[in-house]
Amino acid sequence: MTPFEPLEGADMKHLSLKTVLLLALASAKRVSDIHALSVHPSCTQFAPGQTRVLLKPNPAFTPKVVGSCTPIDIEAFPPQLVSSGEQQQDLLCPVRALHTYMDRSKELRLNDQLFVSWAKPHKGKPVTKQRLSHWIVEAIALAYTSQNLQAPMGLRAHSTRGLATSWALFKGVSIQDICAAASWSSPLTFVRFYRLDVSAPSVARAVLGTLLSRDSTC
């Protein structure tokens, strides 16, 4: 669905917004951790056939909690079967989005930081953590408006951590694996501050269905 698809023809703004949102949802990492990612071959490694990607931060990065910044290992979503019986790439696959973003941004980037600006006068330069947060919020807001819905008040980039981990728990991922992925030392952190009731019907869940469902065509 426009403005995010087709991904290969989307402008750099919407390609960047979709990539950072899918990466935030898939990894459940802090914005500062995503900001520290690098395109250097030692830090970003795609498996053959783009079946998964391993992401490591710039070695110079100091995480908020020392020792908590573990590599991000994301497996690609399997292709979907469309009505014609043919297979189609999953449009919400973060590996697909990341590979496309890196390929299309390589000619404008001026350093190895993963996310760089698409706009003048900072085109090709690394974005700040604050700008990256704005991208995530804008991407979520666009997901709402594409469904003719009003984005909720108080939307923050940090909300993706609770959203991603709560959906993982709802889908059967163990609390230990969730805490390891999100770099939480104790399940209490998740239970007290991040766990959301994603089983209850809501407007937010309807939009999440658009973002997270394997049946989505957006």
Side-chain angles (χ1 to χ4, degrees), residues 8-38:
E8 293 75 14
D11 59 38
M12 282 304 300
K13 172 182 177 178
H14 292 104
L15 174 57
S16 301
L17 294 182
K18 179 167 185 173
T19 302
V20 71
L21 177 58
L22 290 180
L23 188 56
L25 289 169
S27 68
K29 291 294 187 180
R30 300 179 182 88
V31 170
S32 58
D33 294 335
I34 296 174
H35 180 261
L37 296 176
S38 169

Side-chain angles (χ1 to χ4, degrees), residues 75-150:
E75 186 174 352
F77 294 172
Q80 297 176 303
L81 282 177
V82 295
S83 56
S84 63
E86 297 178 353
Q87 288 191 333
Q88 174 182 290
Q89 283 186 305
D90 193 311
L91 302 184
L92 297 178
C93 177
V95 178
R96 166 185 175 256
L98 181 63
H99 189 272
T100 303
Y101 172 79
M102 287 180 56
D103 183 61
R104 291 188 54 194
S105 64
K106 62 186 178 183
E107 294 193 8
L108 64 86
R109 66 173 57 255
L110 300 178
N111 74 354
D112 284 343
Q113 184 171 307
L114 175 57
F115 289 106
V116 295
S117 177
W118 64 74
K120 296 179 179 180
H122 306 295
K123 188 173 182 179
K125 296 180 180 179
V127 296
T128 63
K129 289 190 287 289
Q130 292 77 14
R131 177 54 57 188
L132 204 57
S133 294
H134 292 161
W135 284 9
I136 294 173
V137 171
E138 186 175 354
I140 297 172
L142 278 172
Y144 274 86
T145 56
S146 70
Q147 298 298 300
N148 297 316
L149 296 170
Q150 180 67 41

